[in-house]
Amino acid sequence: KKPHLARREFLPREMSSISLALLLVAVLLLNALLYLYLNKFYTSLGHTEMDPSLCPFGYFKLGAVKNCSPWLSCEAINREVRKLKCVGEGAVKKVFLSEWKENKVVLSQLTNSELKDDFLHGLKMLKALQSKYVVRLLGYCEQQFTILTEYHPLGSLRGLNETLHIPKYKGMNTWHRRLMLAIDYVSVIRYLHSSPLGTLVMCDSNDLDKVLSQYLLTSDFHILVNDLDALPLVNRSAGRLVKCGHRELQGEFVAPEQRWPYGEDVPFEDELMPPYDEKTDIWKIPDVFNFFLGHVEGSDIVRLHLFDIHAACKKKDPAERPSAQEVLDTYRKVLTLLIREAAMPGTREML
């Protein structure tokens, strides 16, 4: 009887060990699945600079077409592109929804001859910065001050909240999808700060609405920078800093170093205004992030996890602010952490 009793007493412990082993295996499998999932969308968010769908310099492909075509010339644009309607107009250019070989495209034309240098600078940037972060260039005509780019029906980021209320896209209106858009945005900033041309500053960003108008929302919910007319270059080794325009900037949205430092009693003079660097872009990140995240369920938890990095972005001394890469790394870590916690609630307590 004694051996029989001993065996009966041992069974619950044995079963407990088996259950714990099974739980650990389940956790490991779940972690592996999470790793594969996160790796998939990190690649889509910009872990690699070049999109495999991009063509060599001077070429493009559109839609389902497999072969790359050379950028359209003046002659090809005049002959093959048909304007449909005007969809926007800014200080520099007018934008037309157009058609090329049954594809919708965007034709931009200079409207103010006094700003032709800005227009041509934007074209130069567009050509040099072609990547997964920048709208696709299809062709251009310098003589006629015309640029042809890919069309994105969801338009600029200004319409994000309206888009997320369309029944088709309501499923996208979650904290993690919105955080992924913020990651896209910071990825663009990081790309500009370490671009092939050097450190570029996004100067068309004096208020939130202006920032949002510079970016496009793609149909698969990613972000592309669209307007590159105001991208001055910082070159610290040569002592070269920048100023975003020649007028006085005001308001809490712009960085402290972008505001007139000599008080209201001294009239603004552009020559006396000190220049600054790319850390002005970092100052604006928390405000743009708040727009992206909105007030969906779970957004407060995300804000709490990012409180420290956003506080660092708002340091008055630009040198104390983090780099765009540091902000991007923090965003990604928080996204990974929160997805893991959402996928494995209570696992820690079970172990």
Side-chain angles (χ1 to χ4, degrees):
K1 287 184 179 179
K2 284 183 180 180
H4 179 68
L5 286 172
R7 188 163 57 252
R8 286 180 62 188
E9 289 173 359
F10 180 73
L11 279 173
R13 295 179 186 175
E14 186 180 50
M15 290 178 67
S16 177
S17 299
I18 293 172
S19 299
L20 182 59
L22 289 172
L23 179 60
L24 287 170
V25 170
V27 169
L28 289 172
L29 286 172
L30 192 52
N31 271 314
L33 289 171
L34 276 171
Y35 172 80
L36 292 172
Y37 170 70
L38 293 170
N39 185 63
K40 183 180 178 181
F41 74 69
Y42 276 168
T43 300
S44 71
L45 286 175
H47 248 29
T48 55
E49 298 303 296
M50 300 306 295
D51 188 333
S53 68
L54 289 175
C55 296
F57 183 81
Y59 290 79
F60 74 93
K61 57 183 175 181
L62 199 58
V65 177
K66 292 183 179 180
N67 297 326
C68 294
S69 302
W71 286 337
L72 301 185
S73 63
C74 297
E75 182 185 355
I77 291 174
N78 292 332
R79 185 180 67 249
E80 300 172 12
V81 177
R82 181 169 66 94
K83 289 181 186 177
L84 299 178
K85 63 177 180 179
C86 179
V87 292
E89 184 173 1
V92 178
K93 53 187 177 285
K94 186 178 285 190
V95 180
F96 297 89
L97 175 62
S98 305
E99 191 174 57
W100 175 73
K101 293 187 177 179
E102 299 183 350
N103 293 292
K104 285 189 171 66
V105 293
V106 174
L107 188 72
S108 302
Q109 292 184 316
L110 179 69
T111 54
N112 185 346
S113 59
E114 294 180 0
L115 298 174
K116 65 181 181 181
D117 289 340
D118 291 339
F119 185 90
L120 292 175
H121 177 74
L123 173 58
K124 177 185 175 183
M125 294 293 106
L126 193 55
K127 288 192 290 185
L129 298 175
Q130 285 293 289
S131 66
K132 68 184 303 173
Y133 306 113
V134 178
V135 69
R136 191 166 302 174
L137 178 64
L138 309 180
Y140 63 93
C141 179
E142 286 193 37
Q143 297 94 312
Q144 297 173 8
F145 297 99
T146 299
I147 300 173
L148 193 70
T149 53
E150 190 174 16
Y151 171 65
H152 294 279
L154 295 182
S156 80
L157 285 177
R158 286 189 293 192
L160 174 63
N161 289 321
E162 289 75 15
T163 298
L164 289 171
H165 283 96
I166 298 173
K168 180 181 177 181
Y169 297 109
K170 277 189 174 179
M172 299 287 195
N173 196 19
T174 61
W175 68 262
H176 69 273
R177 180 60 68 171
R178 283 174 169 268
L179 178 53
M180 287 167 70
L181 287 175
I183 289 174
D184 264 5
Y185 169 71
V186 178
S187 296
V188 173
I189 298 298
R190 193 264 304 162
Y191 175 66
L192 294 178
H193 288 184
S194 56
S195 83
L197 301 177
T199 301
L200 299 168
V201 182
M202 192 62 167
C203 266
D204 264 343
S205 57
N206 297 335
D207 57 63
L208 179 61
D209 192 64
K210 187 65 175 174
V211 170
L212 299 176
S213 70
Q214 309 302 303
Y215 297 85
L216 295 172
L217 180 65
T218 67
S219 297
D220 60 349
F221 265 67
H222 287 286
I223 290 174
L224 299 172
V225 62
N226 180 52
D227 196 328
L228 304 173
D229 295 345
L231 277 182
L233 181 69
V234 169
N235 188 339
R236 282 196 185 82
S237 60
R240 181 179 175 183
L241 300 177
V242 304
K243 287 192 285 188
C244 291
H246 304 287
R247 293 181 295 178
E248 182 177 3
L249 301 179
Q250 296 177 326
E252 292 298 316
F253 188 82
V254 297
E257 63 271 24
Q258 292 183 280
R259 301 173 212 151
W260 180 243
Y262 303 117
E264 295 180 0
D265 296 334
V266 180
F268 176 82
E269 289 187 43
D270 184 43
E271 294 77 13
L272 298 178
M273 181 66 198
Y276 33 83
D277 62 18
E278 77 280 3
K279 290 298 184 75
T280 57
D281 291 333
I282 304 300
W283 170 273
K284 298 160 189 173
I285 286 176
D287 299 297
V288 181
F289 171 86
N290 280 331
F291 168 81
F292 280 125
L293 198 59
H295 297 284
V296 295
E297 183 180 354
S299 59
D300 290 343
I301 298 297
V302 180
R303 283 188 174 88
L304 184 63
H305 278 81
L306 294 172
F307 179 85
D308 289 342
I309 192 69
H310 285 161
C313 290
K314 290 294 188 179
K315 294 278 189 182
K316 189 172 182 180
D317 182 356
E320 295 181 5
R321 296 174 204 155
S323 65
Q325 183 66 62
E326 290 171 319
V327 177
L328 182 58
D329 290 342
T330 303
Y331 277 20
R332 285 173 170 164
K333 286 176 184 176
V334 167
L335 178 58
T336 302
L337 172 67
L338 293 178
I339 288 179
R340 183 177 291 130
E341 288 182 353
M344 299 187 295
T347 303
R348 189 177 301 168
E349 288 76 6
M350 291 169 68
L351 290 174

